[in-house]
Amino acid sequence: MDLLGSIMNNMQAPPKKDDKEIKRLKETRQHIEDASKKEKLALVKFQSVIEKEIESFVNNESQSRRAFLPMDKVKRNIVHEVSENAGLTSFSFGREDEDRHVMIFKKEDLPSDEELDCLRKGVKYDAEAIKKENERLTIVPSENIVIPKQDYHSKYEHLIGQSSAKDAAVATGRNVSYGLGKYLIEFSIDYLSFLRNAGSV
C-alpha cells in the first residue's frame, strides 16, 4: 500500500449532518434570501420616493437647494445618482453613522468653495465675514512697496563690467584639455552665432 492510500484509510469520514441540522441550514439560507429580497424591494421603493421628491424640487422655482435627513451610505448613493440624472449637483456632509446627509443644489445656486468648506466642517456660513477676512489678508499697502534707487548694473559694475551676462558668456574662452570639450564649445559658439543672427540673443 502506498503512502497516500494509508493516509486515506486512516482518515475519518466527516460527521454526517442529521436531518434537523440540514433543515436548520436550509431555513437559515431561506431567511437570508428573503431578507435580501426585502432589502432590495425597500431600496426600490426608496428610490421611487426620492425620484418623486427630486422631481418636485426641480419643478419648484422657489427652492434652489435642499437637505435630506441623515441616511446610510447605500441610500445616499441612490440620492446622488437620482440627483445627477436630474441635472442637479449633490454633496454629502456630516459624520458617518451620526448625521451624514445629502444636500442637493440647482445649477444657479451652487455653493462657493468657502461655503462648501463651512458645510463640511459643520460651521454656519457667513459670506460677509469671510469676504472681510479675505480682504484683510490680501490687502498690501502701496507705501510698503520698495523701488530700488539705482540700477543693479551701475551698483555692481566693478564686478560684472559694462557688458551684459549674455555678451560675457560669448566671450568665454575654449578649454580643449577635456575630451569632447573642444567640439562642444565650438557647437555652443556656432549656436549662439545662429541665435544672434536670428535676433534671439
Side-chain angles (χ1 to χ4, degrees):
M1 181 180 290
D2 63 347
L3 180 63
L4 182 60
S6 65
I7 292 171
M8 295 295 285
N9 287 337
N10 290 332
M11 287 179 62
Q12 295 179 356
K16 292 184 178 179
K17 296 174 183 170
D18 60 1
D19 292 339
K20 288 182 181 178
E21 191 174 353
I22 291 172
K23 185 179 179 184
R24 186 182 60 77
L25 288 172
K26 283 183 180 178
E27 287 174 354
T28 304
R29 196 174 297 125
Q30 188 63 42
H31 284 308
I32 292 170
E33 288 177 7
D34 292 344
S36 177
K37 287 177 185 175
K38 285 178 184 176
E39 285 177 13
K40 286 179 184 176
L41 284 173
L43 290 177
V44 168
K45 287 180 183 177
F46 175 78
Q47 182 170 347
S48 68
V49 168
I50 292 297
E51 285 171 350
K52 288 175 185 173
E53 289 184 18
I54 287 181
E55 183 181 352
S56 171
F57 169 76
V58 168
N59 294 329
N60 187 347
E61 294 180 5
S62 64
Q63 269 189 315
S64 58
R65 53 178 64 187
R66 179 188 170 182
F68 288 88
L69 293 173
M71 58 185 72
D72 63 38
K73 188 174 184 178
V74 175
K75 291 182 177 179
R76 288 198 311 271
N77 285 338
I78 290 172
V79 175
H80 286 302
E81 187 178 329
V82 173
S83 301
E84 186 179 348
N85 291 340
L88 303 172
T89 302
S90 61
F91 296 98
S92 288
F93 303 108
R95 291 181 296 271
E96 195 67 56
D97 297 328
E98 288 184 32
D99 60 348
R100 190 91 172 148
H101 62 282
V102 178
M103 277 189 77
I104 57 175
F105 302 86
K106 291 182 179 175
K107 300 293 182 188
E108 63 268 13
D109 189 28
L110 291 175
S112 64
D113 290 339
E114 291 86 2
E115 185 178 2
L116 272 176
D117 191 44
C118 289
L119 288 167
R120 287 186 179 114
K121 292 176 181 175
V123 180
K124 186 181 177 196
Y125 174 66
D126 185 356
E128 284 300 315
I130 290 174
K131 185 178 177 184
K132 286 178 184 176
E133 181 65 14
N134 287 341
E135 287 173 356
R136 187 186 69 78
L137 293 173
T138 54
I139 290 177
V140 178
S142 59
E143 60 268 10
N144 290 345
I145 299 172
V146 178
I147 299 172
K149 295 179 181 176
Q150 62 183 23
D151 185 25
Y152 80 93
H153 281 284
S154 60
K155 183 175 181 181
Y156 298 104
E157 186 176 340
H158 65 283
L159 295 174
I160 62 172
Q162 294 183 349
S163 62
S164 68
K166 289 180 183 175
D167 294 336
V170 174
T172 304
R174 297 181 187 185
N175 186 353
V176 292
S177 61
Y178 298 103
L180 294 173
K182 174 182 175 183
Y183 302 107
L184 292 174
I185 291 171
E186 286 177 359
F187 173 79
S188 299
I189 291 172
D190 291 341
Y191 184 68
L192 285 171
S193 300
F194 169 76
L195 290 176
R196 188 174 289 122
N197 292 337
S200 298
V201 178

